[in-house]
């Protein structure tokens, strides 16, 4: 549903102009760093609120709370009933024995991500590391509760993350970034010199050529996500 709303926003944005609103910055949680170890385990990530999480290859998820890193949520694999799986909260010191390996992996991913300084890594030798142009966000308490990555995919031109706070994030290979909010009808664009600007989508407006090109690409990717297709656009995907 969030993808559908974001796709709608992207579609509208492709026909509208960016009216810049306050430079106060993006007020929602986003992915700052990621660690792709899907060859063995899954995708680890760090968020701007200081939390860490992993999307495992078996489609389960685990996320460390940002406040003290001593509590985590575990989300089992989603069933075919389309109902959201029940999330269980545990302490890092007390959890079911069957989660031992995943809790250990969460700690390892956290260590990797916490010390990652943005140095390019080889995609031929896992894990492959990546980051947002705004990877050094100041951690702060989020009013959004615990935010997790619900889905991610890697395309030929960008890393894409769909978050539980109804944000879809595109980190492009040219170090630009696009954040789409399906709830607020706002686009946040970070250019090649890492300058962010927020744009409110309004009627009878058009974006500049560079931003419109990225909006169009975002729309195409979101359409693939909605359709569940493994098109040529996508290199890999994870739910």
């Amino acid at each position: 549903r969030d993808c559908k709303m974001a796709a709608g926003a992207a579609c509208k944005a492709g026909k509208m102009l960016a009216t810049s609103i306050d430079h106060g910055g993006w007020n929602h949680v986003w992915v700052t760093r990621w660690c792709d170890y899907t060859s063995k385990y899954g995708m680890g990530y760090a968020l701007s609120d200081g939390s860490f999480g992993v999307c495992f290859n078996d489609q389960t998820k685990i996320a460390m709370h940002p406040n003290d890193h001593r509590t985590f949520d575990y989300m089992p694999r989603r069933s075919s009933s389309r109902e959201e799986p029940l999330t269980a909260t545990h302490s890092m010191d007390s959890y079911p024995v069957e989660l031992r390996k995943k809790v250990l992996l969460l700690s390892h991913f956290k260590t990797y991500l916490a010390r990652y300084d943005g140095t390019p890594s080889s995609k031929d030798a896992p894990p492959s590391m990546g980051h947002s142009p705004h990877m050094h966000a100041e951690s702060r308490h989020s009013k959004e509760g615990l935010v997790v990555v619900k889905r991610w995919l890697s395309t030929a031109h960008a890393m894409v993350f769909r978050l539980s706070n109804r944000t879809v994030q595109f980190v492009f290979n040219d170090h630009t970034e696009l954040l789409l909010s399906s709830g607020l009808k706002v686009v946040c664009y970070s250019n090649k010199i890492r300058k962010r600007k927020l744009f409110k989508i309004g009627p009878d407006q058009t974006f500049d050529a560079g931003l419109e090109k990225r909006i169009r690409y975002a729309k195409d990717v979101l359409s693939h996500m909605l359709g569940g297709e493994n098109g040529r656009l996508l290199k890999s995907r994870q739910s």
Side-chain angles (χ1 to χ4, degrees):
R1 182 185 173 188
D2 293 342
C3 279
K4 187 173 183 179
M5 294 176 71
C11 182
K12 292 178 182 178
K15 301 175 183 177
M16 301 176 181
L17 165 90
T19 302
S20 157
I21 54 181
D22 281 339
H23 295 268
W26 182 257
N27 293 320
H28 303 281
V29 174
W30 71 93
V31 175
T32 57
R33 287 154 284 163
W34 64 87
C35 177
D36 184 352
Y37 215 150
T38 49
S39 60
K40 284 190 176 182
Y41 309 116
M43 173 69 76
Y45 59 86
L47 300 182
S48 59
D49 63 354
S51 61
F52 297 85
V54 184
C55 297
F56 291 108
N57 289 343
D58 65 0
Q59 297 185 14
T60 62
K61 300 177 180 67
I62 193 169
M64 186 179 289
H65 289 208
N67 49 0
D68 60 1
H69 293 167
R70 299 307 307 165
T71 307
F72 69 90
D73 279 11
Y74 179 73
M75 291 138 274
R77 181 174 181 173
R78 188 170 182 171
S79 69
S80 58
S81 65
R82 299 183 63 85
E83 293 181 2
E84 288 293 332
L86 294 177
T87 297
T89 302
H90 303 285
S91 162
M92 294 291 288
D93 301 317
S94 178
Y95 51 83
V97 65
E98 61 267 22
L99 296 183
R100 181 177 297 167
K101 180 178 180 180
K102 290 181 177 178
V103 173
L104 181 61
L105 285 170
L106 172 62
S107 296
H108 286 326
F109 271 110
K110 175 182 177 291
T111 300
Y112 253 93
L113 291 160
R115 70 187 184 195
Y116 175 55
D117 62 359
T119 303
S121 62
S122 171
K123 292 187 177 181
D124 298 326
S128 173
M129 310 291 288
H131 63 90
S132 159
H134 302 274
M135 66 174 289
H136 297 296
E138 180 180 350
S139 296
R140 62 183 187 277
H141 179 69
S142 169
K143 296 179 180 179
E144 297 175 307
L146 180 65
V147 177
V148 300
V149 170
K150 296 188 71 174
R151 187 174 183 184
W152 68 270
L153 60 87
S154 174
T155 77
H157 302 288
M159 281 294 298
V160 186
F161 298 97
R162 181 167 73 92
L163 283 70
S164 59
N165 63 356
R166 301 172 71 185
T167 292
V168 180
Q169 177 179 0
F170 288 77
V171 183
F172 293 96
N173 295 344
D174 64 358
H175 307 297
T176 60
E177 182 180 70
L178 197 64
L179 292 160
L180 300 171
S181 171
S182 60
L184 297 178
K185 297 182 180 178
V186 169
V187 174
C188 180
Y189 176 59
S190 177
N191 62 21
K192 292 182 180 179
I193 59 172
R194 295 189 300 176
K195 184 177 180 180
R196 262 185 178 172
K197 188 174 286 189
L198 294 176
F199 300 104
K200 189 173 182 179
I201 299 172
D204 304 321
Q205 299 176 351
T206 57
F207 287 104
D208 65 70
L211 182 50
E212 186 173 356
K213 177 182 177 181
R214 288 165 177 80
I215 290 282
R216 231 175 12 246
Y217 185 80
K219 177 188 171 184
D220 288 343
V221 171
L222 290 170
S223 295
H224 276 80
M225 291 177 74
L226 285 169
E229 300 174 9
N230 286 313
R232 289 178 299 173
L233 195 63
L234 309 182
K235 280 186 176 179
S236 62
R237 57 185 296 156
Q238 173 83 15
S239 297

